[in-house]
Amino acid sequence: MIGNNSRYAGCILVHDASGDTLGTRQRIDTTPRHDDQFHTVIEGDRLDRIAHRYLGDASLWWIIADYNDLFFPLAIEAGAVLRIPSVEYVQMRLLT
């Protein structure tokens, strides 16, 4: 069950013939901002660790994934440059 405060609360869910749940969730605003930060991925980096470093919360990895159009966030490659929103923007705009 999806709670009211979940980022999936606004999802459109569909059950296919096999019973799997498919769906999409509402996208967040990823317009470039003046206070965005950038991180160059090194070998062994993970989005949850990057989120903890820049946003103070590893569970916010999905924001970095959305900001960078990462479909499979476990496959980030060394050398990639990730755009990361500021903590203030995340707290005031994305998590409300």
Side-chain angles (χ1 to χ4, degrees), residues 30 47 63-71 81-85:
T30 60
L47 286 187
I63 292 175
I64 297 171
D66 275 8
Y67 252 63
N68 293 278
D69 290 323
L70 298 175
F71 181 74
V81 177
L82 301 175
R83 187 169 56 93
I84 302 168

Side-chain angles (χ1 to χ4, degrees), residues 13-96:
L13 298 177
V14 178
H15 297 284
D16 67 8
S18 68
D20 291 335
T21 301
L22 310 170
T24 59
R25 63 179 168 75
Q26 295 176 333
R27 299 231 353 124
I28 60 173
D29 179 12
T30 60
T31 305
R33 297 179 36 82
H34 71 283
D35 55 355
D36 286 346
Q37 298 178 346
F38 296 90
H39 175 83
T40 302
V41 176
I42 60 171
E43 191 68 36
D45 266 349
R46 295 186 349 209
L47 286 187
D48 59 339
R49 290 180 179 166
I50 295 169
H52 183 267
R53 177 178 175 188
Y54 288 93
L55 304 176
D57 186 345
S59 70
L60 298 178
W61 64 268
W62 62 272
I63 292 175
I64 297 171
D66 275 8
Y67 252 63
N68 293 278
D69 290 323
L70 298 175
F71 181 74
F72 190 63
L74 296 177
I76 55 174
E77 295 186 16
V81 177
L82 301 175
R83 187 169 56 93
I84 302 168
S86 69
V87 173
E88 295 78 17
Y89 182 70
V90 169
Q91 291 173 344
M92 295 179 66
R93 300 283 187 225
L94 301 182
L95 298 179
T96 58

